[in-house]
Amino acid sequence: MENLPKKVRSKKLNARVDLTAIVSVSFLLIIFFMVATELAKPKIMALSLPEKDPVWDGVIRCGAGIDYRVITVLLDDKDKIITYSGLLGYSDKLPKEFKYGADGIRKELINKKNKIQKYSGDSNRGPIVIIKPSKKCNFKNLVDILDEMAISKIETYAIVNEFTPEETKLLAAN
């Protein structure tokens, strides 16, 4: 039995794992997902729409009531804006063409707002603006007109994508 080979025992190495790299990668992933989540949140612009009331419904159905408060803004290509008050065809005022900026649509909106508030005697009753972007209108023009609403402090407006036949003819003529 003396000739039996001795068992070779391997040295036990220290089984420590260096976690520094894993911790660094974990923190980088946490930071990445926090930033990605923050950037993925949609940016929202406050939008006030007209309340449902019988007078507003009357304007749409029969062209009476608060007709003087309704301003329709048609957006077309090449930064063209056409506005009219009330309902097209029922008003004695012709549609007007404007450009963006302080001397264009902004001045018109502020003048209309002041006239409406003076006429109604109520500083809380401003214009009701219906924004209608055409298919030729670009996104920048829509954002610009929303900026003009905020600058002019017009609180009641809506974006509508349906055109009446009269509005289609008006855009085609200009």
Side-chain angles (χ1 to χ4, degrees):
M1 297 239 152
E2 289 181 21
N3 289 343
L4 289 175
K6 286 187 174 180
K7 288 185 180 178
V8 178
R9 297 205 176 206
S10 61
K11 286 185 181 179
K12 295 214 175 190
L13 297 176
N14 225 354
R16 291 185 59 168
V17 177
D18 187 15
L19 297 177
T20 307
I22 294 173
V23 170
S24 297
V25 170
S26 299
F27 278 117
L28 285 174
L29 285 172
I30 290 170
I31 291 170
F32 170 76
F33 285 116
M34 287 173 56
V35 170
T37 304
E38 189 64 31
L39 293 177
K41 289 181 182 175
K43 305 298 181 234
I44 299 172
M45 175 182 265
L47 179 66
S48 298
L49 297 175
E51 292 181 18
K52 183 125 177 110
D53 67 21
V55 179
W56 171 252
D57 288 344
V59 171
I60 299 302
R61 284 196 211 111
C62 67
I66 56 169
D67 209 23
Y68 68 95
R69 288 181 61 197
V70 178
I71 302 168
T72 304
V73 177
L74 304 174
L75 305 177
D76 206 9
D77 63 340
K78 299 179 185 170
D79 298 340
K80 191 186 327 178
I81 304 170
I82 299 172
T83 67
Y84 63 89
S85 295
L87 295 172
L88 191 60
Y90 291 99
S91 178
D92 56 345
K93 295 181 181 176
L94 295 174
K96 298 177 186 175
E97 187 174 330
F98 294 97
K99 293 288 183 185
Y100 292 94
D103 292 332
I105 190 68
R106 187 180 314 155
K107 184 177 180 181
E108 177 71 9
L109 290 172
I110 291 171
N111 288 341
K112 290 268 189 180
K113 180 180 177 183
N114 292 337
K115 284 181 187 177
I116 290 168
Q117 289 175 342
K118 183 179 177 185
Y119 179 78
S120 68
D122 186 359
S123 63
N124 294 328
R125 291 184 69 96
I128 300 169
V129 180
I130 300 172
I131 302 167
K132 293 188 174 187
S134 71
K135 291 181 180 177
K136 297 177 186 176
C137 170
N138 59 31
F139 187 71
K140 178 189 176 301
N141 290 347
L142 184 60
V143 171
D144 287 344
I145 198 67
L146 292 175
D147 287 342
E148 294 293 346
M149 295 295 134
I151 292 168
S152 303
K153 294 184 173 75
I154 294 179
E155 298 173 357
T156 309
Y157 56 90
I159 301 171
V160 179
N161 64 353
E162 296 176 10
F163 285 84
T164 63
E166 294 84 8
E167 291 168 339
T168 307
K169 289 177 187 174
L170 179 64
L171 286 175
N174 289 325

